mmCIF file of all heavy atoms in Angstrom:
data_model
loop_
_atom_site.group_PDB
_atom_site.id
_atom_site.type_symbol
_atom_site.label_atom_id
_atom_site.label_comp_id
_atom_site.label_asym_id
_atom_site.label_seq_id
_atom_site.Cartn_x
_atom_site.Cartn_y
_atom_site.Cartn_z
ATOM 1 N N GLU A 177 146.551 148.392 -130.950
ATOM 2 C CA GLU A 177 146.813 147.020 -130.612
ATOM 3 C C GLU A 177 146.257 146.067 -131.741
ATOM 4 O O GLU A 177 145.212 146.349 -132.312
ATOM 5 C CB GLU A 177 146.203 146.530 -129.239
ATOM 6 C CG GLU A 177 146.685 147.373 -128.142
ATOM 7 C CD GLU A 177 145.780 148.526 -127.734
ATOM 8 O OE1 GLU A 177 144.986 148.926 -128.596
ATOM 9 O OE2 GLU A 177 145.951 149.152 -126.634
ATOM 10 N N SER A 178 147.036 145.003 -131.997
ATOM 11 C CA SER A 178 146.554 144.005 -133.002
ATOM 12 C C SER A 178 147.044 142.602 -132.655
ATOM 13 O O SER A 178 148.014 142.578 -131.874
ATOM 14 C CB SER A 178 146.909 144.501 -134.389
ATOM 15 O OG SER A 178 148.329 144.546 -134.548
ATOM 16 N N GLY A 179 146.590 141.706 -133.381
ATOM 17 C CA GLY A 179 147.214 140.288 -133.255
ATOM 18 C C GLY A 179 146.358 139.333 -132.488
ATOM 19 O O GLY A 179 146.692 138.114 -132.337
ATOM 20 N N GLY A 180 145.246 139.832 -131.849
ATOM 21 C CA GLY A 180 144.428 138.917 -131.122
ATOM 22 C C GLY A 180 143.685 137.929 -132.018
ATOM 23 O O GLY A 180 143.714 138.065 -133.223
ATOM 24 N N GLY A 181 142.990 136.996 -131.381
ATOM 25 C CA GLY A 181 142.131 136.117 -132.057
ATOM 26 C C GLY A 181 141.660 134.990 -131.209
ATOM 27 O O GLY A 181 141.786 135.019 -130.015
ATOM 28 N N LEU A 182 141.092 133.977 -131.883
ATOM 29 C CA LEU A 182 140.615 132.765 -131.229
ATOM 30 C C LEU A 182 141.693 131.667 -131.319
ATOM 31 O O LEU A 182 142.103 131.410 -132.504
ATOM 32 C CB LEU A 182 139.318 132.285 -131.853
ATOM 33 C CG LEU A 182 138.705 130.961 -131.327
ATOM 34 C CD1 LEU A 182 138.424 131.061 -129.821
ATOM 35 C CD2 LEU A 182 137.482 130.632 -132.157
ATOM 36 N N VAL A 183 142.083 130.999 -130.319
ATOM 37 C CA VAL A 183 143.046 129.981 -130.368
ATOM 38 C C VAL A 183 142.632 128.915 -129.285
ATOM 39 O O VAL A 183 142.101 129.145 -128.257
ATOM 40 C CB VAL A 183 144.475 130.605 -130.039
ATOM 41 C CG1 VAL A 183 144.592 131.140 -128.600
ATOM 42 C CG2 VAL A 183 145.546 129.480 -130.312
ATOM 43 N N GLN A 184 143.132 127.694 -129.559
ATOM 44 C CA GLN A 184 142.864 126.624 -128.664
ATOM 45 C C GLN A 184 143.872 126.668 -127.540
ATOM 46 O O GLN A 184 144.965 127.141 -127.682
ATOM 47 C CB GLN A 184 142.958 125.246 -129.361
ATOM 48 C CG GLN A 184 141.778 124.966 -130.296
ATOM 49 C CD GLN A 184 141.849 123.639 -130.830
ATOM 50 O OE1 GLN A 184 142.822 123.040 -131.067
ATOM 51 N NE2 GLN A 184 140.637 123.049 -131.125
ATOM 52 N N ALA A 185 143.522 126.041 -126.418
ATOM 53 C CA ALA A 185 144.424 125.975 -125.281
ATOM 54 C C ALA A 185 145.681 125.314 -125.728
ATOM 55 O O ALA A 185 145.676 124.326 -126.426
ATOM 56 C CB ALA A 185 143.808 125.284 -124.149
ATOM 57 N N GLY A 186 146.818 125.835 -125.320
ATOM 58 C CA GLY A 186 148.142 125.417 -125.661
ATOM 59 C C GLY A 186 148.708 126.123 -126.863
ATOM 60 O O GLY A 186 149.907 125.923 -127.140
ATOM 61 N N GLY A 187 147.896 126.860 -127.520
ATOM 62 C CA GLY A 187 148.423 127.575 -128.690
ATOM 63 C C GLY A 187 149.131 128.854 -128.356
ATOM 64 O O GLY A 187 149.384 129.188 -127.177
ATOM 65 N N SER A 188 149.514 129.583 -129.432
ATOM 66 C CA SER A 188 150.275 130.776 -129.323
ATOM 67 C C SER A 188 149.678 131.950 -130.144
ATOM 68 O O SER A 188 148.953 131.678 -131.092
ATOM 69 C CB SER A 188 151.703 130.601 -129.808
ATOM 70 O OG SER A 188 152.316 129.599 -129.043
ATOM 71 N N LEU A 189 149.939 133.127 -129.649
ATOM 72 C CA LEU A 189 149.508 134.437 -130.330
ATOM 73 C C LEU A 189 150.636 135.428 -130.124
ATOM 74 O O LEU A 189 151.339 135.407 -129.043
ATOM 75 C CB LEU A 189 148.284 134.945 -129.932
ATOM 76 C CG LEU A 189 147.000 134.279 -130.265
ATOM 77 C CD1 LEU A 189 145.788 134.909 -129.625
ATOM 78 C CD2 LEU A 189 146.838 134.302 -131.940
ATOM 79 N N ARG A 190 150.799 136.309 -131.062
ATOM 80 C CA ARG A 190 151.768 137.396 -130.909
ATOM 81 C C ARG A 190 151.053 138.756 -131.065
ATOM 82 O O ARG A 190 150.494 138.993 -132.163
ATOM 83 C CB ARG A 190 152.900 137.303 -131.885
ATOM 84 C CG ARG A 190 153.995 138.313 -131.649
ATOM 85 C CD ARG A 190 154.889 138.416 -132.837
ATOM 86 N NE ARG A 190 156.187 139.135 -132.531
ATOM 87 C CZ ARG A 190 156.863 139.777 -133.453
ATOM 88 N NH1 ARG A 190 156.534 139.772 -134.666
ATOM 89 N NH2 ARG A 190 158.008 140.386 -133.162
ATOM 90 N N LEU A 191 150.906 139.460 -130.023
ATOM 91 C CA LEU A 191 150.320 140.744 -130.108
ATOM 92 C C LEU A 191 151.270 141.851 -130.413
ATOM 93 O O LEU A 191 152.425 141.792 -130.081
ATOM 94 C CB LEU A 191 149.660 141.083 -128.746
ATOM 95 C CG LEU A 191 148.706 140.016 -128.170
ATOM 96 C CD1 LEU A 191 148.049 140.585 -126.922
ATOM 97 C CD2 LEU A 191 147.612 139.661 -129.150
ATOM 98 N N SER A 192 150.784 142.823 -131.127
ATOM 99 C CA SER A 192 151.558 144.039 -131.489
ATOM 100 C C SER A 192 150.921 145.250 -131.063
ATOM 101 O O SER A 192 149.688 145.342 -131.085
ATOM 102 C CB SER A 192 151.823 144.118 -133.012
ATOM 103 O OG SER A 192 152.510 142.889 -133.416
ATOM 104 N N CYS A 193 151.678 146.254 -130.712
ATOM 105 C CA CYS A 193 151.074 147.587 -130.363
ATOM 106 C C CYS A 193 151.986 148.644 -130.883
ATOM 107 O O CYS A 193 153.172 148.686 -130.525
ATOM 108 C CB CYS A 193 150.975 147.773 -128.867
ATOM 109 S SG CYS A 193 150.519 149.370 -128.283
ATOM 110 N N THR A 194 151.507 149.510 -131.753
ATOM 111 C CA THR A 194 152.218 150.635 -132.253
ATOM 112 C C THR A 194 151.724 151.890 -131.467
ATOM 113 O O THR A 194 150.483 152.165 -131.406
ATOM 114 C CB THR A 194 151.960 150.862 -133.762
ATOM 115 O OG1 THR A 194 152.380 149.598 -134.434
ATOM 116 C CG2 THR A 194 152.753 151.999 -134.225
ATOM 117 N N ALA A 195 152.702 152.499 -130.887
ATOM 118 C CA ALA A 195 152.353 153.725 -130.084
ATOM 119 C C ALA A 195 152.962 154.926 -130.756
ATOM 120 O O ALA A 195 153.980 154.937 -131.522
ATOM 121 C CB ALA A 195 152.954 153.477 -128.708
ATOM 122 N N SER A 196 152.369 156.134 -130.396
ATOM 123 C CA SER A 196 152.908 157.402 -130.815
ATOM 124 C C SER A 196 154.311 157.615 -130.217
ATOM 125 O O SER A 196 154.543 157.103 -129.163
ATOM 126 C CB SER A 196 151.948 158.548 -130.503
ATOM 127 O OG SER A 196 151.737 158.560 -129.187
ATOM 128 N N GLY A 197 155.042 158.397 -130.924
ATOM 129 C CA GLY A 197 156.497 158.524 -130.481
ATOM 130 C C GLY A 197 156.662 158.964 -129.169
ATOM 131 O O GLY A 197 157.612 158.567 -128.374
ATOM 132 N N SER A 198 155.919 160.007 -128.727
ATOM 133 C CA SER A 198 156.050 160.609 -127.332
ATOM 134 C C SER A 198 155.978 159.538 -126.320
ATOM 135 O O SER A 198 156.781 159.516 -125.366
ATOM 136 C CB SER A 198 155.185 161.803 -127.304
ATOM 137 O OG SER A 198 153.847 161.384 -127.350
ATOM 138 N N ILE A 199 154.897 158.888 -126.304
ATOM 139 C CA ILE A 199 154.613 157.886 -125.261
ATOM 140 C C ILE A 199 155.627 156.785 -125.246
ATOM 141 O O ILE A 199 156.075 156.325 -124.200
ATOM 142 C CB ILE A 199 153.181 157.381 -125.250
ATOM 143 C CG1 ILE A 199 152.839 156.607 -123.959
ATOM 144 C CG2 ILE A 199 152.933 156.520 -126.511
ATOM 145 C CD1 ILE A 199 151.408 156.253 -123.879
ATOM 146 N N PHE A 200 156.017 156.393 -126.526
ATOM 147 C CA PHE A 200 156.902 155.233 -126.588
ATOM 148 C C PHE A 200 158.338 155.589 -126.076
ATOM 149 O O PHE A 200 159.050 154.800 -125.494
ATOM 150 C CB PHE A 200 156.944 154.709 -128.065
ATOM 151 C CG PHE A 200 157.564 153.373 -128.250
ATOM 152 C CD1 PHE A 200 156.814 152.309 -128.046
ATOM 153 C CD2 PHE A 200 158.852 153.307 -128.522
ATOM 154 C CE1 PHE A 200 157.404 151.027 -128.330
ATOM 155 C CE2 PHE A 200 159.436 152.034 -128.704
ATOM 156 C CZ PHE A 200 158.665 150.867 -128.540
ATOM 157 N N ARG A 201 158.793 156.805 -126.500
ATOM 158 C CA ARG A 201 160.131 157.168 -126.184
ATOM 159 C C ARG A 201 160.335 157.478 -124.738
ATOM 160 O O ARG A 201 161.422 157.182 -124.210
ATOM 161 C CB ARG A 201 160.597 158.484 -126.983
ATOM 162 C CG ARG A 201 160.765 158.322 -128.406
ATOM 163 C CD ARG A 201 161.515 159.539 -129.014
ATOM 164 N NE ARG A 201 160.619 160.671 -128.799
ATOM 165 C CZ ARG A 201 159.742 161.001 -129.692
ATOM 166 N NH1 ARG A 201 159.598 160.364 -130.803
ATOM 167 N NH2 ARG A 201 159.030 162.153 -129.489
ATOM 168 N N ASN A 202 159.339 157.962 -124.077
ATOM 169 C CA ASN A 202 159.518 158.534 -122.694
ATOM 170 C C ASN A 202 159.109 157.550 -121.627
ATOM 171 O O ASN A 202 159.101 157.964 -120.419
ATOM 172 C CB ASN A 202 158.746 159.783 -122.631
ATOM 173 C CG ASN A 202 159.181 160.872 -123.553
ATOM 174 O OD1 ASN A 202 160.412 160.896 -123.869
ATOM 175 N ND2 ASN A 202 158.296 161.753 -124.006
ATOM 176 N N ASN A 203 158.692 156.392 -121.978
ATOM 177 C CA ASN A 203 158.104 155.485 -121.001
ATOM 178 C C ASN A 203 158.526 154.022 -121.122
ATOM 179 O O ASN A 203 158.833 153.600 -122.277
ATOM 180 C CB ASN A 203 156.621 155.512 -120.968
ATOM 181 C CG ASN A 203 156.021 156.862 -120.565
ATOM 182 O OD1 ASN A 203 156.017 157.144 -119.391
ATOM 183 N ND2 ASN A 203 155.607 157.648 -121.566
ATOM 184 N N ASN A 204 158.554 153.317 -120.021
ATOM 185 C CA ASN A 204 158.519 151.831 -120.127
ATOM 186 C C ASN A 204 157.106 151.469 -120.588
ATOM 187 O O ASN A 204 156.157 152.038 -120.153
ATOM 188 C CB ASN A 204 158.828 151.217 -118.790
ATOM 189 C CG ASN A 204 160.215 151.370 -118.338
ATOM 190 O OD1 ASN A 204 161.197 151.426 -119.196
ATOM 191 N ND2 ASN A 204 160.475 151.386 -117.064
ATOM 192 N N MET A 205 157.089 150.653 -121.608
ATOM 193 C CA MET A 205 155.707 150.213 -122.095
ATOM 194 C C MET A 205 155.292 148.882 -121.437
ATOM 195 O O MET A 205 156.177 148.074 -120.972
ATOM 196 C CB MET A 205 155.798 150.099 -123.620
ATOM 197 C CG MET A 205 156.056 151.344 -124.390
ATOM 198 S SD MET A 205 154.822 152.597 -124.091
ATOM 199 C CE MET A 205 153.388 151.868 -124.923
ATOM 200 N N ALA A 206 154.029 148.670 -121.474
ATOM 201 C CA ALA A 206 153.486 147.534 -120.705
ATOM 202 C C ALA A 206 152.259 146.971 -121.459
ATOM 203 O O ALA A 206 151.617 147.711 -122.260
ATOM 204 C CB ALA A 206 153.076 147.904 -119.263
ATOM 205 N N TRP A 207 151.937 145.743 -121.211
ATOM 206 C CA TRP A 207 150.726 145.091 -121.638
ATOM 207 C C TRP A 207 149.829 144.874 -120.423
ATOM 208 O O TRP A 207 150.324 144.485 -119.327
ATOM 209 C CB TRP A 207 151.048 143.823 -122.353
ATOM 210 C CG TRP A 207 151.497 143.984 -123.732
ATOM 211 C CD1 TRP A 207 152.822 143.949 -124.118
ATOM 212 C CD2 TRP A 207 150.703 144.174 -124.922
ATOM 213 N NE1 TRP A 207 152.782 144.151 -125.525
ATOM 214 C CE2 TRP A 207 151.583 144.224 -126.020
ATOM 215 C CE3 TRP A 207 149.288 144.196 -125.253
ATOM 216 C CZ2 TRP A 207 151.084 144.392 -127.352
ATOM 217 C CZ3 TRP A 207 148.911 144.391 -126.450
ATOM 218 C CH2 TRP A 207 149.809 144.492 -127.486
ATOM 219 N N TYR A 208 148.494 145.193 -120.693
ATOM 220 C CA TYR A 208 147.519 144.888 -119.616
ATOM 221 C C TYR A 208 146.455 144.004 -120.287
ATOM 222 O O TYR A 208 146.347 143.956 -121.508
ATOM 223 C CB TYR A 208 146.830 146.254 -119.196
ATOM 224 C CG TYR A 208 147.809 147.323 -118.681
ATOM 225 C CD1 TYR A 208 148.555 148.075 -119.578
ATOM 226 C CD2 TYR A 208 147.900 147.581 -117.395
ATOM 227 C CE1 TYR A 208 149.523 149.025 -119.111
ATOM 228 C CE2 TYR A 208 148.872 148.521 -116.873
ATOM 229 C CZ TYR A 208 149.619 149.233 -117.801
ATOM 230 O OH TYR A 208 150.418 150.190 -117.324
ATOM 231 N N ARG A 209 145.498 143.514 -119.426
ATOM 232 C CA ARG A 209 144.443 142.775 -119.991
ATOM 233 C C ARG A 209 143.202 142.977 -119.048
ATOM 234 O O ARG A 209 143.415 143.218 -117.796
ATOM 235 C CB ARG A 209 144.677 141.282 -120.096
ATOM 236 C CG ARG A 209 144.916 140.549 -118.898
ATOM 237 C CD ARG A 209 145.410 139.085 -119.214
ATOM 238 N NE ARG A 209 145.543 138.265 -117.958
ATOM 239 C CZ ARG A 209 146.098 137.093 -117.997
ATOM 240 N NH1 ARG A 209 146.445 136.483 -119.135
ATOM 241 N NH2 ARG A 209 146.241 136.347 -116.797
ATOM 242 N N GLN A 210 142.006 142.822 -119.632
ATOM 243 C CA GLN A 210 140.759 142.946 -118.805
ATOM 244 C C GLN A 210 139.844 141.830 -119.313
ATOM 245 O O GLN A 210 139.445 141.793 -120.446
ATOM 246 C CB GLN A 210 140.177 144.368 -119.040
ATOM 247 C CG GLN A 210 138.917 144.586 -118.062
ATOM 248 C CD GLN A 210 138.520 145.971 -118.059
ATOM 249 O OE1 GLN A 210 138.823 146.732 -118.900
ATOM 250 N NE2 GLN A 210 137.766 146.301 -117.005
ATOM 251 N N ALA A 211 139.569 140.903 -118.366
ATOM 252 C CA ALA A 211 138.657 139.867 -118.632
ATOM 253 C C ALA A 211 137.259 140.304 -118.310
ATOM 254 O O ALA A 211 137.101 141.270 -117.549
ATOM 255 C CB ALA A 211 139.060 138.627 -117.853
ATOM 256 N N PRO A 212 136.266 139.688 -118.801
ATOM 257 C CA PRO A 212 134.836 140.096 -118.557
ATOM 258 C C PRO A 212 134.558 140.092 -117.082
ATOM 259 O O PRO A 212 134.811 139.104 -116.397
ATOM 260 C CB PRO A 212 134.009 139.001 -119.254
ATOM 261 C CG PRO A 212 134.946 138.545 -120.406
ATOM 262 C CD PRO A 212 136.306 138.627 -119.769
ATOM 263 N N GLY A 213 134.031 141.183 -116.571
ATOM 264 C CA GLY A 213 133.642 141.223 -115.129
ATOM 265 C C GLY A 213 134.815 141.457 -114.221
ATOM 266 O O GLY A 213 134.686 141.386 -113.005
ATOM 267 N N LYS A 214 136.034 141.595 -114.711
ATOM 268 C CA LYS A 214 137.142 141.752 -113.846
ATOM 269 C C LYS A 214 137.866 143.159 -114.156
ATOM 270 O O LYS A 214 137.643 143.771 -115.155
ATOM 271 C CB LYS A 214 138.179 140.701 -114.036
ATOM 272 C CG LYS A 214 137.680 139.379 -113.682
ATOM 273 C CD LYS A 214 138.743 138.283 -113.779
ATOM 274 C CE LYS A 214 138.285 136.906 -113.228
ATOM 275 N NZ LYS A 214 139.361 135.923 -113.306
ATOM 276 N N GLN A 215 138.697 143.677 -113.222
ATOM 277 C CA GLN A 215 139.412 144.819 -113.429
ATOM 278 C C GLN A 215 140.612 144.613 -114.411
ATOM 279 O O GLN A 215 141.080 143.451 -114.508
ATOM 280 C CB GLN A 215 139.906 145.278 -112.064
ATOM 281 C CG GLN A 215 138.822 145.902 -111.162
ATOM 282 C CD GLN A 215 139.421 146.568 -109.936
ATOM 283 O OE1 GLN A 215 140.530 146.278 -109.498
ATOM 284 N NE2 GLN A 215 138.689 147.484 -109.370
ATOM 285 N N ARG A 216 141.049 145.626 -114.954
ATOM 286 C CA ARG A 216 142.234 145.518 -115.832
ATOM 287 C C ARG A 216 143.478 145.219 -114.995
ATOM 288 O O ARG A 216 143.605 145.765 -113.845
ATOM 289 C CB ARG A 216 142.450 146.980 -116.497
ATOM 290 C CG ARG A 216 143.522 146.967 -117.515
ATOM 291 C CD ARG A 216 143.599 148.235 -118.212
ATOM 292 N NE ARG A 216 142.441 148.476 -119.067
ATOM 293 C CZ ARG A 216 141.863 149.694 -119.381
ATOM 294 N NH1 ARG A 216 142.475 150.789 -118.880
ATOM 295 N NH2 ARG A 216 140.837 149.772 -120.176
ATOM 296 N N GLU A 217 144.250 144.315 -115.404
ATOM 297 C CA GLU A 217 145.477 143.953 -114.756
ATOM 298 C C GLU A 217 146.696 144.101 -115.541
ATOM 299 O O GLU A 217 146.660 143.989 -116.777
ATOM 300 C CB GLU A 217 145.316 142.479 -114.204
ATOM 301 C CG GLU A 217 145.255 141.466 -115.349
ATOM 302 C CD GLU A 217 145.315 139.983 -114.818
ATOM 303 O OE1 GLU A 217 145.760 139.838 -113.603
ATOM 304 O OE2 GLU A 217 144.888 139.055 -115.576
ATOM 305 N N LEU A 218 147.834 144.239 -114.890
ATOM 306 C CA LEU A 218 149.066 144.415 -115.545
ATOM 307 C C LEU A 218 149.657 143.058 -115.840
ATOM 308 O O LEU A 218 149.550 142.221 -115.020
ATOM 309 C CB LEU A 218 150.067 145.180 -114.603
ATOM 310 C CG LEU A 218 151.467 145.410 -115.157
ATOM 311 C CD1 LEU A 218 151.496 146.275 -116.358
ATOM 312 C CD2 LEU A 218 152.395 145.939 -114.026
ATOM 313 N N VAL A 219 150.037 142.831 -117.072
ATOM 314 C CA VAL A 219 150.550 141.573 -117.531
ATOM 315 C C VAL A 219 152.077 141.550 -117.570
ATOM 316 O O VAL A 219 152.742 140.599 -117.167
ATOM 317 C CB VAL A 219 149.919 141.171 -118.891
ATOM 318 C CG1 VAL A 219 150.396 139.902 -119.399
ATOM 319 C CG2 VAL A 219 148.418 141.085 -118.795
ATOM 320 N N ALA A 220 152.650 142.499 -118.252
ATOM 321 C CA ALA A 220 154.126 142.491 -118.569
ATOM 322 C C ALA A 220 154.541 143.983 -118.810
ATOM 323 O O ALA A 220 153.802 144.739 -119.229
ATOM 324 C CB ALA A 220 154.365 141.691 -119.750
ATOM 325 N N VAL A 221 155.817 144.226 -118.300
ATOM 326 C CA VAL A 221 156.368 145.479 -118.471
ATOM 327 C C VAL A 221 157.706 145.292 -119.105
ATOM 328 O O VAL A 221 158.595 144.517 -118.771
ATOM 329 C CB VAL A 221 156.620 146.202 -117.098
ATOM 330 C CG1 VAL A 221 157.207 147.603 -117.226
ATOM 331 C CG2 VAL A 221 155.384 146.219 -116.265
ATOM 332 N N SER A 222 158.003 146.264 -120.118
ATOM 333 C CA SER A 222 159.251 146.291 -120.806
ATOM 334 C C SER A 222 160.139 147.375 -120.236
ATOM 335 O O SER A 222 159.853 148.555 -120.591
ATOM 336 C CB SER A 222 159.042 146.471 -122.301
ATOM 337 O OG SER A 222 160.266 146.517 -123.038
#
């Protein structure tokens, strides 16, 4: 994963994730996030 950073509220970022072929070809891919002190949560599914 890459593309993260520090941004002000209202701003934008574009994250990228390069995956190995096997996992990418055979699955729907998704983004998750984990905030401090919280469980990992599903954000988006392609």
